[in-house]
Amino acid sequence: MTASGDRPTGLAQYDRTAEDASAAVIAAYSTSFGLATRLLGPRPRPHVRNVYALVRVADEIVDGPAHEAGLDPEAERAVLDDLEAETMAAIDRGFSSNLVVHAFARTARECLIGADLIAPFFQSMRTDLTVANHDDASHDSYVYGSAEVVGLMCLHVFVNADNPRPALPDPSLVEGARRLGAAFQDVNFLRDLFHDEGALGRDYLGVTTGRRSRTDVLDRIDADLAAAAATIPSLPADCRRAVTVAHDLFAELSRRLRREGDDSRTRVRVPDTVKAALAARAMLGLHPRGARA
């Protein structure tokens, strides 16, 4: 039901407001991801924003703002647990008083995003409250929950948004989504290496302790990016350009990280002019860097 003109009312207005709230989160927190999201078609775009907003709110609970507000780790965990419980309840009932949760729940219901992806994500967020130094096994488990499942959530959106018969994605696309998410996370770990160690007391990669070399990490990142690039051309047409931009932005970050010295404490960034060139390249429909034409 609408009021005058096309202005929504009731639940439709609430749904629209929830989507607007999620869009505001991504606009405030990520210029690169925001750029890529704008290149999505109108079918998947709001759903990807809904996924990102919930992920960002959960991440902020464990990465500083909650602590700055006066919460200790036990209180942070309680807030995180409450957010997970509200998310699952909202998916079940189709409504939440939390606008970001409400938007995510609508996406989850439409796109077959279930507890098999949501629970590992929240478990990785809890890990940040209890584990400071990761070995190979805990790193891989953390990256799966914090990044790979987010890539899988987005893949479910790409495949199922506006689909009257939602289905599980093709296994080859699942592999590509996981490896792209892993590459994104490890790039960010390298970019934030000294901040994570100094401000948060965390070591995700073992680079600063000598357990793993910076080159080893970058080699793994580039292998993951190459594997993901091979699957991007098989995505739905209204998603390929956005994922290509995201892939190529992180490939560029990897290249710049490799060029930096081990002791560099500058957070590597991609200049806006280079971002614009990568976006233009994707708009032309070119394959992601490293993909077979």
Side-chain angles (χ1 to χ4, degrees):
M1 179 178 179
T2 60
S4 60
D6 295 326
R7 182 180 178 183
T9 61
L11 181 59
Q13 183 180 27
Y14 192 82
D15 291 344
R16 179 78 60 82
T17 303
E19 287 188 354
D20 289 346
S22 293
V25 172
I26 191 172
Y29 276 96
S30 178
T31 55
S32 296
F33 198 72
L35 168 65
T37 304
R38 287 194 295 274
L39 295 180
L40 287 168
R43 177 187 65 90
R45 187 187 304 127
H47 294 291
V48 170
R49 287 172 173 166
N50 295 345
V51 169
Y52 178 88
L54 180 72
V55 167
R56 172 51 61 182
V57 169
D59 199 47
E60 291 300 283
I61 294 171
V62 300
D63 271 0
H67 175 74
E68 292 174 18
L71 278 66
D72 61 21
E74 183 177 349
E76 290 173 355
R77 181 182 179 110
V79 171
L80 193 64
D81 289 348
D82 288 346
L83 181 61
E84 181 180 14
E86 176 61 19
T87 299
M88 298 311 301
I91 293 172
D92 182 57
R93 68 187 173 226
F95 185 86
S96 175
S97 58
N98 180 319
L99 286 173
V100 168
V101 171
H102 180 81
F104 177 86
R106 291 187 68 238
T107 290
R109 287 162 67 94
E110 180 174 330
C111 300
L112 292 185
I113 298 172
D116 59 321
L117 299 180
I118 297 168
F121 169 73
F122 278 98
Q123 184 54 44
S124 282
M125 294 300 97
R126 289 187 193 91
T127 300
D128 277 333
L129 300 174
T130 58
V131 178
N133 298 299
H134 289 266
D135 58 21
D136 288 348
S138 66
H139 164 273
D140 291 349
S141 177
Y142 181 88
V143 169
Y144 174 73
S146 65
E148 292 180 34
V149 300
V150 177
L152 292 174
M153 290 179 194
C154 291
L155 178 60
H156 277 245
V157 166
F158 298 159
V159 172
N160 290 320
D162 289 349
N163 186 347
R165 292 185 174 181
L168 295 177
D170 183 88
S172 66
L173 295 180
V174 168
E175 176 70 9
R178 288 187 59 178
R179 296 193 70 171
L180 191 59
F184 287 178
Q185 185 67 289
D186 279 342
V187 164
N188 283 330
F189 285 158
L190 275 182
R191 294 175 76 198
D192 296 331
L193 195 67
F194 295 105
H195 174 267
D196 287 342
E197 180 184 38
L200 302 175
R202 299 174 190 160
D203 177 15
Y204 294 103
L205 298 172
V207 170
T208 56
T209 60
R211 180 174 58 82
R212 183 183 295 276
S213 74
R214 185 184 182 92
T215 299
D216 286 342
V217 175
L218 285 165
D219 286 347
R220 180 173 61 194
I221 288 169
D222 289 346
D224 284 338
L225 287 170
T231 68
I232 292 172
S234 298
L235 291 172
D238 57 355
C239 305
R240 289 178 208 145
R241 291 174 179 174
V243 181
T244 295
V245 168
H247 171 279
D248 288 356
L249 279 170
F250 276 81
E252 179 66 18
L253 284 168
S254 176
R255 187 183 72 82
R256 290 169 181 264
L257 283 163
R258 199 179 285 275
R259 192 174 63 192
E260 291 287 320
D262 290 348
D263 296 327
S264 174
R265 292 178 177 266
T266 302
R267 191 175 196 268
V268 172
R269 298 181 182 277
V270 176
D272 288 344
T273 53
V274 177
K275 290 181 182 179
L278 294 175
R281 184 179 181 278
M283 289 298 293
L284 291 173
L286 299 179
H287 287 295
R289 291 177 174 178
R292 179 178 298 176

